Amino acid sequence: MKFQDILSEKSLWIFGYGSLVWKPDFKYKRSKVGYIQGYKRRFWHGDNFHRGNDEKPGRVVTLVEDDDACTWGVAYEVTGSQIEESMKYLNVREAVLGGYVTKVVEFVPRGESQPRHRALVYIATADAANYLGRAGHRDIAAQIAVCKGKSGHNIEYLLRLAQFMRQQCPEVEDRHLFSIEACTLHLVPYLLGFK
């Protein structure tokens, strides 16, 4: 979908699965919790601005194609002037600073009677300069535990995402996310010198 095509829409849905679930930082008409199919959330993308720096890039989530998976998050509907404003903001936050590209997906809101929506999503691919790829949960946790960027500590990003999943999607078991959270929390006392 081209930028000009997006701006000509009357309404646009934007799907968030990482920091956008708790910090969209743009105006929107309404939001819905739900999921997209065919993708799994992974801490495989590096961040040298928001949650890390050039020497110690943080780890943030991206989506990896998997036909059998689904990823839960929040979709935001933007209308009118909100479309152009949100797209300009997200282009800097996600594309310029984050290295993400956009794709169009089908968003399925929670609840059987809810209509599905075509939504824009930001995904970091293996072609992105900051893409870190697969690593063991303990290695990812060790990296998250020590990184900090302009938006705060990398561990805050991890904990807020896990908190969102537990509060808004308690029926969903995101093993990758929760395993990395557990490994990271296990490291914290050692990093603080309590063990």
Side-chain angles (χ1 to χ4, degrees):
M1 183 175 260
K2 295 180 183 175
F3 188 69
Q4 291 305 323
D5 295 336
I6 293 169
L7 296 181
S8 67
E9 298 278 326
K10 292 179 181 173
S11 171
L12 174 69
W13 287 87
I14 300 164
F15 179 71
Y17 57 92
S19 61
L20 286 178
V21 302
W22 77 84
K23 190 178 182 184
D25 277 349
F26 57 85
K27 293 179 182 174
Y28 55 91
K29 181 179 178 181
R30 60 186 167 150
S31 65
K32 295 181 180 182
V33 173
Y35 64 90
I36 61 171
Q37 294 178 309
Y39 293 94
K40 57 188 176 185
R41 178 181 13 239
R42 292 292 180 260
F43 275 89
W44 290 2
H45 192 56
D47 185 337
N48 62 357
F49 185 81
H50 293 290
R51 299 296 174 171
N53 57 48
D54 290 335
E55 292 79 36
K56 288 184 180 178
R59 284 255 181 186
V60 293
V61 291
T62 187
L63 296 177
V64 178
E65 289 186 28
D66 181 341
D67 291 340
D68 298 326
C70 73
T71 297
W72 284 79
V74 178
Y76 301 93
E77 182 184 23
V78 291
T79 59
S81 64
Q82 293 174 343
I83 296 173
E84 185 172 0
E85 292 166 8
S86 63
M87 293 308 302
K88 284 181 178 178
Y89 170 73
L90 289 171
N91 182 55
V92 172
R93 174 177 166 171
E94 304 295 334
V96 175
L97 296 175
Y100 290 77
V101 297
T102 55
K103 290 193 177 186
V104 177
V105 294
E106 183 178 64
F107 171 70
V108 182
R110 174 184 278 140
E112 294 177 27
S113 63
Q114 299 270 347
R116 296 173 179 223
H117 303 285
R118 193 172 62 144
L120 193 69
V121 66
Y122 288 84
I123 299 174
T125 66
D127 298 332
N130 291 346
Y131 191 81
L132 299 174
R134 182 186 308 264
H137 291 173
R138 288 188 178 115
D139 293 333
I140 292 173
Q143 190 171 352
I144 288 173
V146 298
C147 290
K148 180 182 178 184
K150 295 192 185 312
S151 295
H153 292 275
N154 202 178
I155 196 168
E156 176 197 21
Y157 176 100
L158 167 67
L159 297 177
R160 284 184 180 260
L161 184 55
Q163 179 183 31
F164 162 80
M165 287 299 294
R166 285 195 180 92
Q167 290 178 349
Q168 298 297 320
C169 312
E171 72 282 5
V172 178
E173 178 62 31
D174 189 327
R175 288 188 181 101
H176 178 80
L177 171 63
F178 295 141
S179 177
I180 292 169
E181 178 196 33
C183 289
T184 305
L185 291 175
H186 179 75
L187 290 172
V188 171
Y190 295 98
L191 294 171
L192 297 176
F194 293 134
K195 287 195 176 184

